[in-house]
Amino acid sequence: MFAVTILGNNSAIPTAERHPTSQVVTSYDQLLMIDCGEGTQVQMTRFKIRRSRIRHIFISHLHGDHYFGLIGLLNSLSLLGRTEPLTVYAPPELEQILQLQLDCAATQLKFALHFVALRGEAAGVILEEKDLEVSFFPVKHRIPCFGFVFEQQKKKRKIIPEQAQAYKIPAAFYSRLQEGADYQRKDGLLVKNNWVTLPPPKGKKYVYCADTIYDESLVPRLEGADLVYHETTYLHGLAERAAERYHSTSVQAATLAARAGAQRLLIGHFSSKYTELAPFLEECRPVFPNTELSVEGATYLI
Amino acid sequence: MFAVTILGNNSAIPTAERHPTSQVVTSYDQLLMIDCGEGTQVQMTRFKIRRSRIRHIFISHLHGDHYFGLIGLLNSLSLLGRTEPLTVYAPPELEQILQLQLDCAATQLKFALHFVALRGEAAGVILEEKDLEVSFFPVKHRIPCFGFVFEQQKKKRKIIPEQAQAYKIPAAFYSRLQEGADYQRKDGLLVKNNWVTLPPPKGKKYVYCADTIYDESLVPRLEGADLVYHETTYLHGLAERAAERYHSTSVQAATLAARAGAQRLLIGHFSSKYTELAPFLEECRPVFPNTELSVEGATYLI
């Protein structure tokens, strides 16, 4: 299982129907949150996403529609008795904001809150798990802002059954083969791992581009992605306004996905001015046919 | 018109059905907000309360379920182009929290945000308008916390028509009479105002007790109230837990209203553990019959 569920698909001003940005990535049995706008914890309840299963939260930038719901979520987790640690990845000032709010409430969270600061023009891996690697990269927005790449890691090499049988390797040793071990036969022959296995198949890749102006330098980040999330705050008629505000349009997101040769494009962060979202798809699909609207509560396989 | 509308009736952990504390007092054409938990701005949209008409926001204390929605509301007001000043009355640390969040977002609000700090054991008038006076008073909670009194001021004296006619005062002068002026007759007689008018009738009074432990010293604050809001986080079976957490029970709120001789009691801030609220009424009414449950979206006349 590798998928992303949309909790909020709107830009800054929440409405009764659409909420500010938040997504949950599911990788096997793990849940990871990206951004956490106001109301996210209620959206989790609504869509039956168990708050307790989140262990990592990635905050792209400190515009409120991407993090105002975080302190409330942390508070609720503590009140609900969480003891398992939680790690937040975000621009460094967020730690101070959260601490000030906890101090004013004389609240000590019942769980350890780790904080990983994202800064400047850096990029790289910030989380390595058994099956998943998460990295971050800078995007161009009005304030420091970061995108995230989620790649499932297939660590197990692929056994070539005919070869393994030809070398008479016992099935009990196959899991060691998948881990890359050589096999020492009793007759003295050392069967090299790469005689009987292939490298692990490529893992699936999800790229979250956060809030960003149209920026062709992102193309290499998107290459090989099975799913790209790119904001489309505006329809293309407002391309000028989008650029002024460091946001993107429908056509721009589709153009970037097409240039990078991504498999699929998911668009969101729609301005509250739009009550109908279908025109976003109508503008994207001629440029990049495999485009989907992010719909709150919907889950998209990666 | 003098009434209060409930936007949230729940305690700390929001659910999909119940929201953290927020209320809007309507006094004639003016709206005043009390507390602003997460999701308040969306509740305002849902219940068609115009955000732009709020000019004063009173925050009782810095537990998140009473203010986490404020920064989002301020942000939205600015994005929507508000230019009219807004005043926040709250414990002083809130100013620092808001400023830090605005600074991190490189946001300058488009309207002036005034801040009135509520501190210590002080009490007194914090807002005097033509028709309304608001004062604050300390309550006993786990951190500094304040209640608020909203009193409609009837500034106009009441004319006694027979007397005014007997003294042959022209109707054109009646509005001056209501303001307290004497009338100088052409024949030399000075008609004293209090010969022809009565003092302004007593204004209606709403007392919001915020989050508080059961505290009989509040009785004088509640005397003469037409409507009292008192929290009932727990049913009375959990009186011990309520005291430990500086909260109150159903029976305690009703007892206080009865002792103070209040006209009506409105209860709220229900713990998320309760899905049924009717038992709160069942426990209160034997002690204080004129009790009502706060229901989100409902408006209670004062």
Side-chain angles (χ1 to χ4, degrees):
Chain A
M1 175 72 166
F2 195 31
V4 60
T5 302
I6 303 300
L7 300 184
N9 66 2
N10 209 51
S11 67
I13 304 172
T15 71
E17 297 77 33
R18 299 210 309 260
H19 298 75
T21 304
S22 184
Q23 305 187 352
V24 172
V25 172
T26 305
S27 176
Y28 302 108
D29 57 347
Q30 190 172 6
L31 300 185
L32 307 100
M33 177 172 281
I34 310 173
D35 286 338
C36 187
E38 183 176 357
T40 294
Q41 58 174 323
V42 172
Q43 290 290 86
M44 295 178 81
T45 307
R46 186 168 293 146
F47 300 129
K48 302 198 189 336
I49 290 169
R50 284 179 54 199
R51 290 181 265 225
S52 59
R53 284 183 55 205
I54 304 274
R55 291 195 298 124
H56 301 277
I57 301 180
F58 303 86
I59 302 292
S60 62
H61 66 301
L62 298 187
H63 280 150
D65 56 324
H66 293 257
Y67 85 92
F68 283 164
L70 180 59
I71 181 69
L73 174 60
L74 298 179
N75 221 37
S76 294
L77 287 172
S78 185
L79 288 169
L80 292 165
R82 182 193 183 98
T83 53
E84 200 188 4
L86 191 147
T87 306
V88 172
Y89 306 76
E93 298 82 358
L94 182 57
E95 188 171 17
Q96 192 190 347
I97 294 172
L98 297 175
Q99 195 56 55
L100 187 56
Q101 292 183 304
L102 293 171
D103 289 348
C104 288
T107 294
Q108 186 145 20
L109 295 176
K110 294 202 187 81
F111 57 90
L113 182 66
H114 302 304
F115 199 90
V116 175
L118 311 179
R119 305 172 197 264
E121 290 302 305
V125 174
I126 43 178
L127 176 64
E128 275 190 287
E129 301 262 295
K130 185 163 57 79
D131 299 310
L132 185 74
E133 186 180 274
V134 183
S135 52
F136 78 118
F137 58 93
V139 298
K140 293 195 179 72
H141 195 45
R142 198 162 59 82
I143 58 172
C145 185
F146 301 93
F148 301 104
V149 180
F150 296 77
E151 276 188 280
Q152 270 193 344
Q153 302 295 308
K154 306 244 180 191
K155 293 275 166 76
K156 290 182 180 172
R157 297 181 66 84
K158 192 169 155 57
I159 294 168
I160 311 164
E162 314 83 66
Q163 293 290 90
Q165 284 156 20
Y167 282 105
K168 299 196 184 338
I169 300 176
F173 196 79
Y174 279 17
S175 63
R176 297 287 319 280
L177 287 184
Q178 289 175 318
E179 290 162 7
D182 297 334
Y183 179 68
Q184 177 66 62
R185 287 212 317 207
K186 291 214 172 103
D187 64 6
L189 178 70
L190 182 70
V191 182
K192 288 289 204 181
N193 186 281
N194 62 8
W195 300 352
V196 294
T197 70
L198 295 171
K202 181 180 152 293
K204 298 269 185 187
K205 177 173 168 181
Y206 175 52
V207 182
Y208 174 85
C209 297
D211 282 12
T212 180
I213 198 168
Y214 176 65
D215 175 11
E216 295 186 1
S217 78
L218 288 181
V219 166
R221 306 276 181 204
L222 273 58
E223 283 169 357
D226 297 277
L227 183 64
V228 168
Y229 168 86
H230 196 291
E231 66 129 300
T232 55
T233 306
Y234 300 107
L235 290 173
H236 200 60
L238 292 181
E240 204 171 316
R241 183 182 304 182
E244 277 165 24
R245 301 185 180 182
Y246 287 80
H247 282 301
S248 301
T249 70
S250 51
V251 171
Q252 291 171 343
T255 303
L256 211 67
R259 292 205 178 189
Q263 292 297 311
R264 278 160 78 221
L265 170 66
L266 184 61
I267 56 173
H269 199 268
F270 308 112
S271 165
S272 306
K273 67 163 61 234
Y274 302 108
T275 49
E276 291 298 320
L277 300 180
F280 282 88
L281 273 191
E282 288 158 19
E283 290 194 357
C284 286
R285 285 188 168 162
V287 182
F288 189 80
N290 218 348
T291 304
E292 294 191 58
L293 281 180
S294 43
V295 172
E296 295 185 1
T299 296
Y300 302 82
L301 293 175
I302 295 168
Chain B
M1 176 71 166
F2 195 30
V4 60
T5 302
I6 302 300
L7 301 184
N9 67 2
N10 208 52
S11 66
I13 304 172
T15 69
E17 297 77 32
R18 299 210 310 261
H19 298 76
T21 302
S22 184
Q23 304 187 353
V24 172
V25 172
T26 305
S27 176
Y28 302 109
D29 58 347
Q30 188 171 7
L31 299 185
L32 307 101
M33 177 171 281
I34 310 173
D35 286 338
C36 187
E38 184 177 356
T40 293
Q41 57 173 325
V42 172
Q43 291 289 87
M44 294 177 83
T45 307
R46 187 167 292 146
F47 301 129
K48 302 198 189 336
I49 291 170
R50 284 180 53 199
R51 289 182 266 224
S52 59
R53 284 184 56 206
I54 303 274
R55 292 196 297 123
H56 300 278
I57 300 180
F58 304 86
I59 301 292
S60 63
H61 66 301
L62 297 187
H63 280 151
D65 55 322
H66 294 256
Y67 85 92
F68 283 164
L70 180 60
I71 180 70
L73 174 61
L74 298 178
N75 221 39
S76 295
L77 288 171
S78 185
L79 288 169
L80 291 165
R82 181 193 184 100
T83 54
E84 201 189 3
L86 191 147
T87 306
V88 172
Y89 307 75
E93 298 82 359
L94 182 58
E95 189 171 16
Q96 192 190 346
I97 294 172
L98 298 176
Q99 195 56 55
L100 187 56
Q101 291 182 303
L102 294 171
D103 290 347
C104 288
T107 294
Q108 186 145 20
L109 294 176
K110 294 202 186 82
F111 55 91
L113 181 67
H114 302 305
F115 199 91
V116 175
L118 311 179
R119 305 170 198 265
E121 290 303 303
V125 174
I126 42 178
L127 175 65
E128 274 190 289
E129 303 263 293
K130 185 165 56 80
D131 299 310
L132 184 74
E133 186 180 276
V134 183
S135 53
F136 78 118
F137 58 93
V139 298
K140 293 195 179 74
H141 195 45
R142 197 162 60 82
I143 58 173
C145 185
F146 301 93
F148 302 104
V149 181
F150 296 78
E151 275 188 281
Q152 270 194 344
Q153 303 294 309
K154 304 244 182 194
K155 293 275 164 76
K156 291 181 180 174
R157 296 182 66 84
K158 193 168 154 57
I159 294 168
I160 311 165
E162 315 81 67
Q163 293 288 92
Q165 283 156 19
Y167 283 106
K168 299 197 186 337
I169 300 177
F173 195 79
Y174 279 17
S175 63
R176 297 288 320 279
L177 287 184
Q178 289 175 318
E179 291 163 7
D182 297 335
Y183 180 67
Q184 178 67 63
R185 288 212 317 207
K186 293 219 169 100
D187 63 7
L189 178 69
L190 182 70
V191 181
K192 289 289 207 180
N193 186 282
N194 62 7
W195 300 352
V196 294
T197 69
L198 295 170
K202 178 182 153 297
K204 298 269 184 186
K205 177 174 169 181
Y206 174 53
V207 182
Y208 174 84
C209 296
D211 282 11
T212 180
I213 199 168
Y214 176 66
D215 175 13
E216 293 186 0
S217 78
L218 289 181
V219 166
R221 306 275 181 204
L222 273 57
E223 282 168 358
D226 296 277
L227 182 65
V228 168
Y229 167 86
H230 196 291
E231 66 130 299
T232 55
T233 306
Y234 300 106
L235 290 172
H236 201 58
L238 293 182
E240 204 170 313
R241 182 181 304 183
E244 277 166 22
R245 301 185 180 183
Y246 286 79
H247 283 300
S248 300
T249 70
S250 50
V251 171
Q252 290 170 343
T255 302
L256 210 69
R259 291 203 177 188
Q263 292 297 309
R264 276 160 79 222
L265 170 66
L266 183 61
I267 55 173
H269 199 268
F270 308 113
S271 165
S272 306
K273 66 163 62 237
Y274 302 108
T275 50
E276 291 297 320
L277 300 180
F280 282 88
L281 274 190
E282 288 158 18
E283 290 194 356
C284 286
R285 284 186 170 163
V287 181
F288 188 80
N290 218 349
T291 304
E292 294 190 60
L293 280 180
S294 43
V295 173
E296 296 185 1
T299 295
Y300 303 82
L301 293 175
I302 295 167

